[in-house]
Amino acid sequence: FAAFCLVCVTLYRSVPFDMEAVEMTSLKRPHSEDDVANVDEIKRQKISEESSKTGSNSEQSIDIVTEQPGKPLLEDKKDDIILNEEEGDPESFADMMKHGLIELDVGITKFVSSHKGFSGILKERYSDFVVHEIGKDGRISHLDDFSVPVDDEDPSEEIFTVLSNEDKQHLEELQLFKNKETSVAIEVIEDTKEKRTIIHHAVKSLFPGLETKTEDRDGKKYIVAYHAAGKKALANPRKHSWPKSRGSYCHFVLYKENKDTMDAINVLSKFLRVKPNIFSYMGTKDKRAITVQEIAVLRITAQRLAHLNKCLMNFKLGNFSYKNHPLKLGELQGNHFTVVLRNITGTDDQVQQAMHSLREIGFINYYGMQRFGTTAKGYLVKCREEWAKTKDPAAALKKLPVKRCVEGQLLRGLSKYGLKNIVSAFGIIPRNNRLMYIHSYQSYIWNNMVSKRIEEYGLKAVSGDLILKGGTAVHIEEADVDDYTIHDIVMPLPGFDVIYPKHKIGDAYKEMLAADNLDISNMRHKIRDYSLSGAYRKIIIRPQNVRWEVVAYDDPRIPLFNTDLDKLEGKPPPILATEGKFKALKMEFSLPPSTYATMAIREVLKMDTSIKKQTQLNTIWLR
């Protein structure tokens, strides 16, 4: 298991299959006369104002709908042939690495709907993709309140202004052990008990881990700050300074724009001068999007958090409350998505058919492209090209100018331990990265097997399929087939603690794993990290709360709906054109955890959602 993931997965950005196979399946695609004609047709697809307005271009849109007998839906289609604009030559390995993977490379090949596909641009603006978390109580998180809970224990607002910037700098250096002094003295200019009390509160509230005392020096009063509990205080704010009547955790809604969840928490922890591990959350959210989710933080007041709104860029905090518990990963019920697909070419009938199918049938629950990595940074391209040609880790490492990346670590490990000691070489990589690659391989197997399952048996339950009963997987018997639908069927991610379908797909699992030298009946590994138990995943997901509308617009730079923050700030809704130059599809839907909104969107458009393909579509649009 580890050996397979190690060399093939890491150097091909998480896509776990052999390089020679990559060259065969991805670089040497069929080039029939029909294919060449199809490529020419793509080149002719210039999305003009007139075609967008009338929908007349929909017949020319990238069409990957019709399934050929015995072939995956995406095979032999014009959108899969990547030719040089000038010469008509197949793309080089380096070019493929530069632009990343397409869906066919990771087993995403089927659709469940019958409507004709149409083109549309996903995430033309990050504000076109909005995610609201659904909590374990089923409530959708919204940022709609900036007020702070009234609490007699809270200090006054003066604590944020009573200290000078110089005082704050010295206190922060003391708190973080960045100076030689063991204390910082702040002179009390207006010597009153009230003034001294405010300074004491300000230091303790703004700089967790510091304690204060009042001293007389040369006839002047000073507030002296010092460390009370050493470095541990940064991760464990003082318990005795927190009111017993108040919950230990402040829960709040985090609204962020174009920023990763962990990046946002790192910024918050820096402003608050605390360790990031005192924050907890139920799930991470996309970067290139607007997202709204619940966060909990240990013993930081709502007042202090709310004050950050004055200086934060690209995110806001609100909806504060105190509770006695943190949040745990995976506790959420799912996410609610609001997505705008711009410059759609589909007719109204096509859009209606697509959305009705999404609501009634759903989409294949593929692991999306994010699971496998999407693009390669430029400095990796020559390195990977060298590896593909020579399989020489030292030679590939020489082509890598930035050697501290994961790929560089792997190549150093391979150079040190050799290609026959994969486990030791792989051990150089941080554990989280190792697990990511192995999970990626499981996902790759699952995607391919679910495509084969749908190709073989269609959208009906059959004898030998798997369903879950009380969390346990059981096979459907012939006599019970009519009791179940496609929405009940699950398929396993490979591991040592799962069972497989009792039909052709079970054999297909065995064959695909055997091709990678894995024994389906002996998936345990002596190294625990590589010994995965497996899991079950529904093959079709039917979104909830599905709504949609087609809107017209003239200016591609304007937002097409108001966000939570827009509403809080009292911004009027955008004024949309009655008959604009362009059309957009605004869609909303809710999905359970661990499902990919891009796969739902793919089912609507009947298009490849990879960055590579979306970039090509954007290029056509810009022309």
Side-chain angles (χ1 to χ4, degrees):
F1 214 158
F4 188 78
C5 295
L6 168 69
V7 182
C8 302
V9 180
T10 309
L11 292 183
Y12 192 29
R13 181 53 85 194
S14 309
V15 181
F17 41 76
D18 186 85
M19 275 298 173
E20 292 175 4
V22 172
E23 292 172 5
M24 236 171 24
T25 59
S26 295
L27 299 184
K28 299 178 182 177
R29 295 177 186 138
H31 293 313
S32 66
E33 291 180 3
D34 290 341
D35 289 332
V36 176
N38 286 336
V39 174
D40 290 336
E41 185 176 341
I42 288 181
K43 292 180 182 179
R44 291 195 299 269
Q45 289 176 17
K46 312 298 185 198
I47 304 176
S48 64
E49 292 181 1
E50 290 78 10
S51 64
S52 296
K53 190 180 296 183
T54 63
S56 61
N57 194 48
S58 60
E59 290 303 313
Q60 293 185 8
S61 64
I62 299 173
D63 175 17
I64 50 178
V65 184
T66 307
E67 182 174 6
Q68 298 179 17
K71 294 185 178 181
L73 277 168
L74 290 184
E75 280 189 1
D76 299 338
K77 301 298 179 183
K78 56 197 164 200
D79 200 31
D80 285 327
I81 312 300
I82 313 301
L83 301 183
N84 182 285
E85 284 281 354
E86 302 295 330
E87 304 167 359
D89 295 330
E91 64 178 350
S92 68
F93 178 84
D95 286 337
M96 185 173 75
M97 287 288 87
K98 192 181 301 179
H99 298 294
L101 307 168
I102 61 173
E103 291 178 350
L104 180 64
D105 296 323
V106 296
I108 301 173
T109 62
K110 296 293 183 182
F111 296 101
V112 296
S113 51
S114 58
H115 71 277
K116 183 176 178 60
F118 52 93
S119 67
I121 300 176
L122 173 62
K123 292 190 179 182
E124 183 175 353
R125 298 166 54 90
Y126 68 79
S127 56
D128 287 344
F129 198 91
V130 179
V131 186
H132 289 86
E133 190 172 69
I134 305 174
K136 59 183 178 180
D137 59 357
R139 181 180 56 84
I140 298 177
S141 293
H142 282 281
L143 181 76
D144 52 22
D145 186 3
F146 282 145
S147 67
V148 174
V150 177
D151 194 328
D152 293 338
E153 301 283 350
D154 280 334
S156 69
E157 277 288 318
E158 285 184 89
I159 68 165
F160 298 106
T161 57
V162 70
L163 299 173
S164 69
N165 289 334
E166 186 179 2
D167 289 336
K168 289 178 182 177
Q169 182 179 347
H170 291 321
L171 289 166
E172 181 175 0
E173 289 171 353
L174 175 67
Q175 182 203 35
L176 300 177
F177 299 91
K178 289 184 177 179
N179 57 7
K180 296 179 180 179
E181 289 76 22
T182 58
S183 64
V184 169
I186 301 169
E187 183 180 356
V188 184
I189 304 299
E190 302 171 26
D191 183 19
T192 63
K193 185 176 180 181
E194 291 76 16
K195 187 70 171 181
R196 293 198 301 271
T197 299
I198 292 171
I199 296 175
H200 282 295
H201 276 306
V203 174
K204 292 177 182 180
S205 297
L206 299 179
F207 300 91
L210 298 184
E211 281 295 344
T212 57
K213 59 186 177 182
T214 303
E215 288 186 2
D216 284 310
R217 297 182 182 180
D218 300 326
K220 297 179 181 179
K221 282 279 197 302
Y222 288 86
I223 304 296
V224 179
Y226 60 96
H227 271 287
K231 293 185 178 181
K232 290 183 179 179
L234 286 176
N236 300 290
R238 305 166 316 279
K239 293 182 179 180
H240 64 270
S241 67
W242 193 265
K244 293 181 179 179
S245 59
R246 180 197 290 164
S248 294
Y249 295 88
C250 183
H251 287 231
F252 62 93
V253 167
L254 169 66
Y255 169 101
K256 63 182 181 65
E257 299 180 351
N258 205 27
K259 189 173 287 288
D260 180 79
T261 299
M262 274 311 303
D263 288 342
I265 285 176
N266 287 334
V267 170
L268 290 177
S269 62
K270 182 178 179 181
F271 271 94
L272 295 168
R273 303 177 187 88
V274 296
K275 295 291 186 182
N277 62 3
I278 70 171
F279 292 87
S280 58
Y281 47 88
M282 294 182 286
T284 57
K285 299 290 180 281
D286 290 12
K287 176 181 178 180
R288 187 165 171 76
I290 292 176
T291 69
V292 183
Q293 68 184 115
E294 188 175 351
I295 305 286
V297 60
L298 177 65
R299 296 191 183 94
I300 299 291
T301 65
Q303 183 187 33
R304 193 172 165 202
L305 290 166
H307 197 264
L308 296 181
N309 283 330
K310 298 177 182 178
C311 51
L312 293 174
M313 293 289 290
N314 297 327
F315 50 101
K316 294 290 182 183
L317 318 179
N319 296 79
F320 303 101
S321 63
Y322 293 108
K323 298 180 182 178
N324 290 315
H325 59 83
L327 296 170
K328 294 180 182 178
L329 279 171
E331 280 187 327
L332 71 167
Q333 271 196 24
N335 294 287
H336 185 75
F337 297 86
T338 305
V339 178
V340 169
L341 301 176
R342 291 185 182 250
N343 201 49
I344 62 168
T345 60
T347 64
D348 288 346
D349 283 345
Q350 284 176 289
V351 171
Q352 294 302 317
Q353 290 173 28
M355 295 307 298
H356 277 289
S357 177
L358 182 67
R359 185 175 63 190
E360 302 303 324
I361 300 175
F363 63 96
I364 304 171
N365 194 19
Y366 286 122
Y367 286 96
M369 298 304 293
Q370 306 98 302
R371 185 79 165 185
F372 305 96
T374 49
T375 57
K377 295 178 181 176
Y379 63 80
L380 288 172
V381 173
K382 292 186 182 299
C383 167
R384 292 176 177 178
E385 193 168 29
E386 180 67 30
W387 172 259
K389 287 189 296 187
T390 67
K391 298 295 189 295
D392 181 345
L397 188 60
K398 288 179 181 178
K399 300 283 187 178
L400 192 63
V402 181
K403 294 179 170 57
R404 294 179 64 87
C405 61
V406 174
E407 289 82 358
Q409 291 173 311
L410 172 61
L411 289 169
R412 278 198 300 273
L414 290 171
S415 297
K416 181 176 181 180
Y417 296 105
L419 297 180
K420 293 185 178 180
N421 193 352
I422 296 293
V423 170
S424 296
F426 206 33
I428 287 181
I429 297 175
R431 181 174 183 270
N432 284 347
N433 291 96
R434 296 200 303 269
L435 292 178
M436 179 183 70
Y437 292 132
I438 296 170
H439 292 156
S440 177
Y441 176 70
Q442 286 181 302
S443 305
Y444 172 70
I445 297 291
W446 194 92
N447 278 359
N448 277 277
M449 290 299 98
V450 78
S451 292
K452 196 167 186 65
R453 160 63 180 78
I454 289 173
E455 178 180 309
E456 193 71 38
Y457 300 111
L459 298 180
K460 62 181 187 296
V462 298
S463 176
D465 273 335
L466 292 168
I467 58 166
L468 291 179
K469 283 190 175 180
T472 302
V474 297
H475 293 103
I476 299 178
E477 301 298 333
E478 184 66 47
D480 302 323
V481 164
D482 293 338
D483 295 336
Y484 302 101
T485 71
I486 193 67
H487 298 100
D488 299 312
I489 309 303
V490 298
M491 286 179 58
L493 283 90
F496 64 78
D497 196 26
V498 293
I499 61 174
Y500 295 86
K502 282 185 178 178
H503 46 51
K504 292 181 181 179
I505 306 308
D507 295 332
Y509 269 99
K510 184 177 181 179
E511 292 167 7
M512 192 168 187
L513 292 169
D516 297 326
N517 297 316
L518 295 173
D519 181 356
I520 197 170
S521 59
N522 183 23
M523 296 292 285
R524 289 187 183 273
H525 196 285
K526 61 184 179 181
I527 298 177
R528 187 177 178 182
D529 279 354
Y530 308 142
S531 195
L532 301 183
S533 59
Y536 298 99
R537 182 176 177 88
K538 285 201 168 186
I539 68 173
I540 301 291
I541 291 293
R542 188 161 43 193
Q544 302 298 307
N545 307 314
V546 178
R547 295 187 293 273
W548 69 91
E549 65 175 319
V550 175
V551 296
Y553 64 103
D554 289 314
D555 187 347
R557 296 168 297 179
I558 64 167
L560 300 182
F561 63 93
N562 272 5
T563 64
D564 285 0
L565 185 59
D566 292 334
K567 294 171 186 175
L568 258 177
E569 294 177 345
K571 290 184 180 178
I575 300 174
L576 303 175
T578 307
E579 292 187 9
K581 298 176 184 177
F582 317 115
K583 290 195 305 182
L585 171 58
K586 178 191 172 188
M587 53 198 296
E588 291 188 55
F589 50 88
S590 299
L591 296 177
S594 301
T595 54
Y596 290 78
T598 49
M599 293 297 98
I601 295 164
R602 169 186 181 271
E603 188 69 42
V604 170
L605 294 176
K606 295 286 187 72
M607 283 183 61
D608 190 314
T609 60
S610 62
I611 287 180
K612 184 172 187 173
K613 294 301 182 184
Q614 285 292 307
T615 300
Q616 290 171 354
L617 186 65
N618 272 294
T619 302
I620 293 170
W621 158 237
L622 288 171
R623 288 175 190 153

